[in-house]
Amino acid sequence: MPREIQIQVAPEVAAQLPLLTAHIAQLMQVKPDEIKHIAIIKRSIDARQKAVKINLKVAVYWNEEYVETKFKLPEYKDVSNAQEVIIIGAGPAGLFAALQLIELGVKPIVLERGKDVQERRRDLKAINRDHIVDEDSNYCYGEGGAGTYSDGKLYTRSKKRGDVDRILELFVAFGASDEILVEAHPHIGTNKLPKIIKAMREKIIEYGGQVLFETRVTDILVKNNEVQGVVTQNNDTIHASKIILATGHSARDIFELLDRKKIFIEAKPFALGVRAEHPQSLIDTIQYSCDYRGEYLPPAPYSIVKQVAGRGMYSFCMCPGGVIAPCATSPGEVVTNGWSPSKRDQETANSGIVVELKLEDFKPFEKFGALAGMEFQKSIEQQAWHLAGETQRVPAQRMIDFTQSKVSSDIPKTSYVPGTTPVELGKVFPDFITNTLRQGFVEFGKSMRGYLTNEAILHAPESRTSSPVRIPRDNYSLEHLEIKGLYPCGEGAGYAGGIISAAIDGEKCALKCVETLS
């Protein structure tokens, strides 16, 4: 058996196998050439001290040969003629639900309003360069969901949701680097995730499942409180007694459909704020306590949480070496998000900096009932669009200027391609959000010396952090509380917060769905 040990080493030792081998050989009191292989099990960075260290958990093969682990896909079944289940949405929840159904011998019919990963690129170019928003194909809608072209982070804090390792290993089997099994905060990258998503779709089709793009669901058929199927925008009807509703957090038309049909939904608190962009070199200096991080350390991330006037304010979806993207889903609104390529090699770092909202904050929109939070969210996105010039440009302000309520006299070019307009961001948000952000940035600056700077540019708004609606379901059966055969799933239903948790929830809903198929 290999010997497992935990060590802490300098970055250059962790990065160079001969140095690492020599270090471990000295610890084990063996000769370096006696070590056959070193398999890294877990890797993380410890930047708490001035000298940054790398934490490693390794398996050392010193008296036996190493056999590389090959991660294989499950034994999928041909489901061409099997019983059918409709899945609405081809994000991680929908795709992993479909794969789980095939593994269990059930045929998934995946309906995706957007386009496949390749075709989506044209629509992303249109929103970035031409300020044209396609309501069915954008950064939020399309094959792979919002995560496909907005970073591909695979880290989840919630280990209670399910088997995280299974999901990561499936990603590796579909083509992801096995580095995601090692890193404390695994990340695939927007440039690599599309190929993996395509491989998943091809596997679904290979085994008899269906994946229909540009197929927006306009009605869910219900009779005697049981689902009967769906109607698409082309007036086609697809029948099924089971529907996994795996739309993302921005599927406003689905929320409106459920509300209109009196299918019980409820408003859910979420968080909203700005996306802050700093030079990556500045974040490196702050986090690594050095002038230059060197070639052996990755671009530094950060995570920060504060309580400000009774509200949580925190960093969200931090993207080292990344860019800010336009994520509107309808004309007449602007929305920001961030992503990083796999190498995280851009010159800027960005993060959502958001304020915790409460249900009482939606009181001005109470006439919309369960959609009050969604309408609150929409009003801010539309106000930002208006203030920035009614294109995909976004309101922007230097960070210190914002804390001092000063319109920035100039905004440098940022990574946000459609461009920015100098705006006093207090005009974008209600006072309680503005005041919390202003005070919070001052507090952030005390915790991270150098963070509060006019080199940082705030872009508004960061508003799609999670779903503004929860679609209630039974804790055991995972069916909707009132509609039999309807399985609310993933981020859009309020039961996930990222690629991994959404994928896990998709598998769970598929398992429960199959349990009750006759």
Side-chain angles (χ1 to χ4, degrees):
M1 290 288 290
R3 179 178 170 184
E4 288 190 6
I5 60 173
Q6 289 188 303
I7 56 175
Q8 189 176 72
V9 296
E12 60 270 23
V13 173
Q16 299 178 83
L17 185 57
L19 295 181
L20 181 61
T21 302
H23 179 85
I24 291 174
Q26 185 176 23
L27 286 177
M28 294 177 61
Q29 297 183 331
V30 299
K31 294 179 180 179
D33 58 9
E34 291 182 53
I35 295 177
K36 305 294 186 183
H37 183 79
I38 298 170
I40 297 175
I41 300 170
K42 286 296 175 185
R43 177 170 47 223
S44 63
I45 297 173
D46 185 348
R48 291 173 295 179
Q49 307 299 322
K50 189 170 180 63
V52 179
K53 298 292 185 181
I54 306 296
N55 296 320
L56 294 176
K57 181 180 181 181
V58 299
V60 183
Y61 293 76
W62 63 285
N63 59 359
E64 62 182 299
E65 293 297 326
Y66 168 71
V67 179
E68 184 179 358
T69 302
K70 294 287 187 181
F71 292 97
K72 297 180 180 180
L73 292 172
E75 293 186 7
Y76 294 124
K77 301 173 183 177
D78 185 345
V79 295
S80 303
N81 300 310
Q83 195 162 354
E84 297 174 342
V85 170
I86 292 172
I87 299 173
I88 304 176
L95 289 174
F96 276 82
L99 290 166
Q100 182 72 84
L101 288 177
I102 291 173
E103 192 175 344
L104 296 170
V106 175
K107 179 178 180 177
I109 303 177
V110 183
L111 309 180
E112 171 54 53
R113 67 184 296 166
K115 300 175 184 177
D116 66 43
V117 286
Q118 190 63 37
E119 289 296 314
R120 278 179 81 179
R121 293 180 189 273
R122 298 177 187 177
D123 299 314
L124 302 187
K125 183 177 180 180
I127 193 172
N128 272 295
R129 300 295 169 87
D130 305 319
H131 301 251
I132 297 171
V133 180
D134 185 321
E135 293 186 273
D136 287 316
S137 180
N138 44 61
Y139 275 95
C140 291
Y141 301 152
E143 185 177 21
T148 303
Y149 288 107
S150 55
D151 209 47
K153 288 185 180 67
L154 299 180
Y155 176 63
T156 178
R157 290 184 178 87
S158 181
K159 304 300 183 184
K160 296 180 181 179
R161 292 185 189 271
D163 190 345
V164 173
D165 288 342
R166 170 182 158 87
I167 301 300
L168 292 175
E169 287 168 9
L170 279 171
F171 269 113
V172 172
F174 276 109
S177 166
D178 59 8
E179 287 288 298
I180 67 173
L181 304 172
V182 170
E183 299 294 345
H185 295 81
H187 167 258
I188 292 180
T190 293
N191 54 320
K192 292 191 174 181
L193 191 54
K195 184 178 179 181
I196 296 164
I197 296 298
K198 180 184 176 185
M200 291 180 179
R201 177 237 304 169
E202 290 174 342
K203 190 63 64 176
I204 292 167
I205 294 170
E206 178 186 344
Y207 282 88
Q210 286 184 270
V211 182
L212 306 178
F213 295 112
E214 300 182 70
T215 305
R216 177 162 33 92
V217 171
T218 56
D219 196 11
I220 297 173
L221 303 177
V222 179
K223 184 177 181 181
N224 298 326
N225 289 333
E226 296 185 15
V227 297
Q228 305 287 307
V230 300
V231 179
T232 71
Q233 84 273 27
N234 296 323
N235 246 359
D236 295 326
T237 299
I238 303 172
H239 293 284
S241 63
K242 305 288 182 184
I243 297 174
I244 296 176
L245 186 59
T247 56
H249 57 45
S250 294
R252 290 172 173 169
D253 59 328
I254 292 294
F255 302 149
E256 290 167 345
L257 169 64
L258 297 176
D259 190 57
R260 191 165 61 247
K261 293 180 74 73
K262 309 298 182 188
I263 295 175
F264 179 45
I265 60 176
E266 56 191 6
K268 181 181 77 64
F270 57 104
L272 184 148
V274 298
R275 189 151 281 267
E277 181 170 276
H278 290 77
Q280 180 62 55
S281 58
L282 174 61
I283 298 300
D284 291 341
T285 298
I286 295 170
Q287 295 297 86
Y288 292 147
S289 302
C290 61
D291 294 331
Y292 171 62
R293 74 169 186 265
E295 61 180 304
Y296 301 114
L297 283 172
Y302 66 84
S303 176
I304 192 164
V305 180
K306 294 288 182 183
Q307 281 292 314
V308 182
R311 291 180 187 270
M313 177 173 157
Y314 55 92
S315 56
F316 168 82
C317 184
M318 195 274 148
C319 301
V323 301
I324 300 177
C327 291
T329 51
S330 295
E333 66 188 28
V334 289
V335 181
T336 65
N337 196 359
W339 61 269
S340 300
S342 57
K343 291 183 179 179
R344 291 178 162 170
D345 55 1
Q346 302 300 299
E347 294 183 353
T348 51
N350 70 79
S351 180
I353 306 296
V354 295
V355 174
E356 172 187 46
L357 301 180
K358 304 172 183 178
L359 289 177
E360 53 263 35
D361 297 328
F362 309 147
K363 195 172 176 74
F365 298 87
E366 61 185 353
K367 70 178 182 180
F368 294 101
L371 302 180
M374 186 185 85
E375 293 297 329
F376 173 89
Q377 181 188 60
K378 192 189 298 184
S379 71
I380 289 174
E381 295 168 1
Q382 292 172 346
Q383 172 73 346
W385 176 79
H386 174 72
L387 289 169
E390 301 187 349
T391 66
Q392 282 303 297
R393 298 174 73 89
V394 293
Q397 194 170 10
R398 292 179 182 269
M399 188 182 286
I400 292 178
D401 289 348
F402 172 67
T403 64
Q404 297 174 353
S405 307
K406 292 167 48 180
V407 176
S408 300
S409 58
D410 69 304
I411 300 292
K413 182 177 174 59
T414 73
S415 68
Y416 183 81
V417 172
T420 60
T421 300
V423 170
E424 205 298 280
L425 297 187
K427 294 181 178 179
V428 175
F429 303 108
D431 287 346
F432 75 90
I433 293 179
T434 301
N435 295 337
T436 303
L437 286 169
R438 283 186 176 137
Q439 184 181 341
F441 278 122
V442 173
E443 295 301 315
F444 277 26
K446 294 175 183 176
S447 297
M448 291 178 62
R449 298 291 180 184
Y451 183 88
L452 179 61
T453 171
N454 260 353
E455 284 190 81
I457 310 300
L458 307 182
H459 303 62
E462 165 73 69
S463 50
R464 306 288 180 93
T465 55
S466 68
S467 178
V469 165
R470 178 173 286 107
I471 307 173
R473 69 188 188 190
D474 181 82
N475 289 336
Y476 175 74
S477 72
L478 305 187
E479 284 182 297
H480 186 272
L481 292 180
E482 298 175 349
I483 308 299
K484 190 172 177 59
L486 181 64
Y487 294 81
C489 181
E491 282 205 47
Y495 297 101
I499 291 173
I500 294 295
S501 57
I504 289 172
D505 202 53
E507 288 200 336
K508 286 167 58 178
C509 285
L511 286 164
K512 286 296 184 181
C513 185
V514 171
E515 280 182 11
T516 57
L517 278 173
S518 55

